[in-house]
Amino acid sequence: AYHADELLAAGVRDGRAHGLLLALRWTDHLEAAERVTEQWTEIAHRQGSEEAFAAARVHSSHLNRMRGRLRQAEADAETATAATPPHGVNYVMAWVALTDCLISKGDLDAAQAACDAIGFGEQIPPFPPYGGVLGIRAELRCALGRHAVRSPTTTRSHAAPALDRKSTRLNSSHLGI
C-alpha cells in the first residue's frame, strides 16, 4: 500500500498504480486497497480528471463487490461508465465492473446488456487490460449456462475418427498363452 500511496502522490495513475491496486485486492488487503482508491478519487476530484475518477470508481466497484456491498458496487460501476469516453481502457473496465456486479446480483439479462455495451463482440483486441473482458464474458456464459456451447458444424463426420481399440485389447497373445 505504501508504494501505491507513493505513486498516487507523485501523480502516477497508469498501469503501475492499477497493478498495485490489483495486487492489494487479490491478496485480500482490502482495507489498504480501499484507502488507496479513496485517495485516488480525492486526487481526481482536485485535478478535475474524469478519467482518473472513473478508474478509481472501477476499483471501488470491485472492492465493494468483494465485500458483498452490491448496491454500492453497482453505483460505482455506473458512475464510472458515465464518466468515461467510449472505447478507452477505462470505459471497457467500467463496463466489465458493471457486468461483474450484475452477475453477482443475479441480474443476468442486465449483465448481458452491460457486456454487450463493451462493443467487442467475439473479437477482443490482444491488449493486456482487455483480459478482464475475456474473464467476465466467460463468467457470464457460465452463469447463463452457455459455457460449453458446441459449434453447430461439429458432427461425428467432422470429428476425429474413432481409434481402433484392437491394439489395446488384452488377448491371449499378451498373456503368453
Side-chain angles (χ1 to χ4, degrees):
Y2 172 76
H3 293 295
D5 290 338
E6 244 179 26
L7 287 173
L8 290 175
V12 175
R13 281 171 295 286
D14 60 10
R16 295 171 290 175
H18 287 286
L20 282 170
L21 269 169
L22 288 172
L24 290 170
R25 283 191 356 230
W26 293 342
T27 57
D28 285 330
H29 290 92
L30 302 183
E31 291 83 14
E34 286 175 338
R35 185 175 46 74
V36 170
T37 300
E38 289 312 310
Q39 182 182 358
W40 191 332
T41 302
E42 290 169 17
I43 291 169
H45 276 296
R46 277 197 311 267
Q47 295 177 344
S49 172
E50 288 185 357
E51 281 289 313
F53 175 75
R57 292 299 86 206
V58 166
H59 285 290
S60 182
S61 175
H62 287 298
L63 287 163
N64 280 313
R65 189 194 56 77
M66 291 173 76
R67 291 200 181 266
R69 300 184 295 228
L70 298 181
R71 281 190 212 139
Q72 184 60 45
E74 185 177 3
D76 284 338
E78 287 176 341
T79 299
T81 62
T84 58
H87 311 297
V89 172
N90 286 332
Y91 175 84
V92 171
M93 295 300 100
W95 284 101
V96 166
L98 182 58
T99 303
D100 201 12
C101 294
L102 294 167
I103 291 169
S104 294
K105 284 178 53 180
D107 190 349
L108 301 182
D109 290 336
Q112 181 68 64
C115 192
D116 292 344
I118 295 169
F120 289 151
E122 294 297 314
Q123 302 301 317
I124 298 171
F127 182 51
Y130 295 154
V133 178
L134 288 171
I136 201 65
R137 187 175 67 188
E139 190 174 332
L140 178 58
R141 286 178 178 172
C142 284
L144 291 168
R146 292 190 230 151
H147 58 285
V149 176
R150 291 174 49 98
S151 168
T153 60
T154 303
T155 62
R156 183 71 179 146
S157 63
H158 295 302
L163 297 175
D164 180 3
R165 294 182 39 88
K166 182 176 181 182
S167 63
T168 61
R169 278 191 222 130
L170 180 64
N171 58 36
S172 59
S173 66
H174 290 97
L175 299 174
I177 300 177

